[in-house]
Amino acid sequence: MRAVIYTSPGEVALAEVPLPVIVDSTDAIVKVTLAGICGTDLHVVRGDFSGIEPGTVVGHEFVGEVVELGSAVRRFKPGDKVMSSDFTACGHCGWCDRGDHWHCHERAFFGTGTSFGPALAGAQAEFVRVPHADTTLGLLPPGCSQEAGLLMGDNLATSWVAVERARLEPGDSVAVIGGGAVGQLAALCAQAAGAGIVVVVEPNATRQAFARAHGSLSTDPSNAESLVRRMTGEAGADVVIEAVGGNGPMELAMKLAGPVGRIVSVGTHAAEQWAFPVARAFRDELTIGFAIGDAIRLRRRLLRLVTGGAFDPTVVIDARGKLDDVPHLYKQLRNQQHLKVVVSPHQ
């Protein structure tokens, strides 16, 4: 089958690779009908994480059709249209029982080598093997588009968990650092949760305009502190969602948060250390947390929000293509020419 593979830092290529097969009784083989390219994929391909070997099939966002099942899979049948979490979980350990599937000891993250667990081939391919299918997959119901289902597997789940972890209350002021797909979706989620004002901080003018067109204020990072102060009566933001990753964005988050503010980082971090301003955090009673989207836990809620019309997450998708286009689309996404890219592997 055809798939997109990592070849060297910064580079991917289209290649012929073996078809996936059932390995464990809980596996499913899914024909990928739509795959996404995510900001995390850019980190993977750039070499920010260890454990990525040349030849790794990349990609962790997908929807598709079940074509084969292991003998222990009970919730699905061949032909079912499904969406997937970007990582797998067993569904029955203590972590899974409490809804913290990311911490399952059997977790594997599609398309990221051994960076976050055992290596598992990714989904920018014609077919993909899905371990623990009964937990990892969900049915794609009528009324939910493939594109919306794909976004629930990572970007939308990540955006919603930021709002959830920040304990956002109606009327709260919110600053979102980063105007990529996750940042824009976080702004939409904050609006749906009742935020009083949302400011998206983003240097790219096109992404600033997107945020303004979808109900938020937007500004360049150099002007962010003054705008947030002005819009909050000098108080600072009640909630700051950091959706970029890295020490610089975390430092900006600290500047934007007001007293008793809640900072939640959902950006992808590779640095091992950050000079934490503990005196400031203590003085202003700041709460600082990190979160990873859990589509397995959030899938049902997100489906209700999307099919009920609370917001349309697919507005962030601005580029569509085929597998042949993927190497070029990676470069365009890296250059911020697109916000969110999806590809149809069988076109």
Side-chain angles (χ1 to χ4, degrees), residues 19-31 65-73 76-80 82 127-131 133 137:
L19 281 165
V21 298
I22 297 291
V23 175
D24 297 312
S25 62
T26 58
D27 288 351
I29 304 299
V30 173
K31 177 183 178 180
E65 179 182 330
V66 174
V67 295
E68 188 178 356
L69 295 167
S71 60
V73 179
F76 303 100
K77 63 183 185 302
D80 279 345
V82 292
F127 297 88
V128 63
R129 180 176 75 92
V130 182
L137 296 176

Side-chain angles (χ1 to χ4, degrees), residues 113-248:
T114 57
S115 301
F116 303 101
L120 178 61
Q124 289 169 14
E126 293 180 312
F127 297 88
V128 63
R129 180 176 75 92
V130 182
H132 300 299
D134 278 337
T135 302
T136 306
L137 296 176
L139 285 171
L140 188 67
C144 181
S145 69
Q146 287 196 81
E147 291 185 346
L150 180 144
L151 289 168
M152 288 182 207
D154 180 6
N155 288 174
L156 185 55
T158 299
S159 302
W160 187 264
V161 82
V163 169
E164 180 184 78
R165 193 68 61 88
R167 306 187 313 279
L168 192 152
E169 298 180 359
D172 276 349
S173 56
V174 179
V176 179
I177 299 173
V182 170
Q184 302 287 359
L185 288 172
L188 293 177
C189 290
Q191 293 173 31
I197 185 171
V198 180
V199 177
V200 175
V201 181
E202 165 60 48
N204 183 293
T206 300
R207 293 181 174 188
Q208 287 181 28
F210 181 95
R212 290 192 291 269
H214 291 87
S216 297
L217 300 177
S218 190
T219 185
D220 185 270
S222 63
N223 299 317
E225 192 172 3
S226 62
L227 176 61
V228 169
R229 295 287 172 185
R230 186 166 71 250
M231 299 306 299
T232 60
E234 300 300 321
D238 298 308
V239 169
V240 181
I241 296 171
E242 188 284 305
V244 179
N247 293 355

Side-chain angles (χ1 to χ4, degrees), residues 221-300:
S222 63
N223 299 317
E225 192 172 3
S226 62
L227 176 61
V228 169
R229 295 287 172 185
R230 186 166 71 250
M231 299 306 299
T232 60
E234 300 300 321
D238 298 308
V239 169
V240 181
I241 296 171
E242 188 284 305
V244 179
N247 293 355
M250 288 300 297
E251 290 164 6
L252 179 58
M254 292 291 294
K255 293 177 181 178
L256 300 183
V260 202
R262 287 97 67 198
I263 299 170
V264 177
S265 174
V266 290
T268 301
H269 293 272
E272 291 294 333
Q273 296 183 349
W274 169 44
F276 179 64
V278 64
R280 159 80 200 289
F282 170 73
R283 182 178 66 248
D284 284 346
E285 298 185 288
L286 300 182
T287 300
I288 302 175
F290 297 81
I292 293 173
D294 186 345
I296 297 168
R297 177 175 64 83
L298 293 173
R299 188 180 288 137
R300 184 176 300 177

Side-chain angles (χ1 to χ4, degrees), residues 72-135:
V73 179
R74 296 289 178 263
R75 295 184 56 226
F76 303 100
K77 63 183 185 302
D80 279 345
K81 305 297 190 295
V82 292
M83 52 187 170
S84 180
S85 168
D86 54 349
F87 62 87
T88 72
C90 73
H92 52 75
C93 68
W95 291 108
C96 289
D97 284 346
R98 58 184 269 177
D100 291 319
H101 300 92
W102 176 254
H103 298 287
C104 174
H105 294 305
E106 297 187 40
R107 177 192 73 220
F109 199 129
F110 292 98
T112 56
T114 57
S115 301
F116 303 101
L120 178 61
Q124 289 169 14
E126 293 180 312
F127 297 88
V128 63
R129 180 176 75 92
V130 182
H132 300 299
D134 278 337
T135 302

